[in-house]
Amino acid sequence: GHFQAALADLQRGAAIAQQTGRERVLLMLVIESVPTLIELGRLSEATAAAVEGIERARLSGNAHMLLWAHSALACARLAGDVAAALEHAGEAVALDTKPDFHATGQPGWCLGAALTAAGNPDRAVPTLLDAFGGPQLAGMAPVDRPAAAADLIEAQLACNDVRAAEDALACAESAAARSGSAWAAAI
């Protein structure tokens, strides 16, 4: 929940990685800055960082990083350009690469959120459930469960499935309570 401080750390780390020629570390830090910039409401910077991440991932030939970068760009575009979010989520899916721990739940998470935003919650719910490892979000890192549940709940409510949304809310509240984070509780 300390996004400004997190961004400062990410930028400092990226500068050190750049100075020392640690391209893989730089790639990870650039992509990791995207969700932090989104939380700060700096969507144009988040988009630029994600585009840079895609370019760096392509140059590295690392399919896992490319998946993560496309997913990050889809999330950055979601607030203002749903069509672009769907496009990049689709590109992440087309990579047919299983995510590593950097991109847990992806590309299904960004695709499901984009489908909901595009007015297709009936397609979003199964996509999200598959990405999250089921309704208990067992496939998600505990820190991501409240945010994942929020996107699932939005899709379920758009499908008028109040019962499923209530169950997802209970899961989110439990995960937020375990984390002890004010940010998780707010989500």
Side-chain angles (χ1 to χ4, degrees):
H2 301 277
F3 298 108
Q4 197 60 50
L7 183 60
D9 288 344
L10 288 164
Q11 290 171 335
R12 181 173 178 268
I16 292 168
Q18 179 109 32
Q19 292 169 355
T20 59
R22 302 289 308 264
E23 290 298 319
R24 181 172 166 79
V25 173
L26 179 58
L27 169 60
M28 290 188 295
L29 293 171
V30 166
I31 300 170
E32 187 62 38
S33 72
V34 175
T36 303
L37 288 163
I38 291 170
E39 289 296 331
L40 290 169
R42 295 161 61 174
L43 300 179
S44 62
E45 291 174 66
T47 298
V51 168
E52 179 183 344
I54 288 172
E55 292 168 358
R56 288 182 177 281
R58 282 190 180 131
L59 288 172
S60 76
N62 187 322
H64 290 100
M65 292 292 134
L66 188 57
L67 168 75
W68 187 22
H70 272 295
S71 298
L73 183 54
C75 292
R77 290 288 176 91
L78 200 53
D81 190 346
V82 174
L86 281 168
E87 176 186 335
H88 287 286
E91 287 186 39
V93 169
L95 291 171
D96 197 28
T97 298
K98 290 207 181 276
D100 58 11
F101 72 93
H102 298 297
T104 304
Q106 298 297 356
W109 187 353
C110 65
L111 179 60
L115 286 167
T116 301
N120 295 302
D122 54 321
R123 288 182 49 211
V125 169
T127 299
L128 292 169
L129 287 171
D130 183 55
F132 298 159
Q136 296 302 311
L137 311 175
M140 298 303 296
V143 70
D144 289 330
R145 288 180 185 158
D151 285 340
L152 178 59
I153 291 165
E154 183 179 354
Q156 290 167 327
L157 289 175
C159 289
N160 295 314
D161 192 348
V162 175
R163 172 101 174 137
E166 288 172 340
D167 290 345
L169 178 60
C171 182
E173 289 173 336
S174 175
R178 277 192 307 275
S179 78
S181 159
W183 176 78
I187 293 283

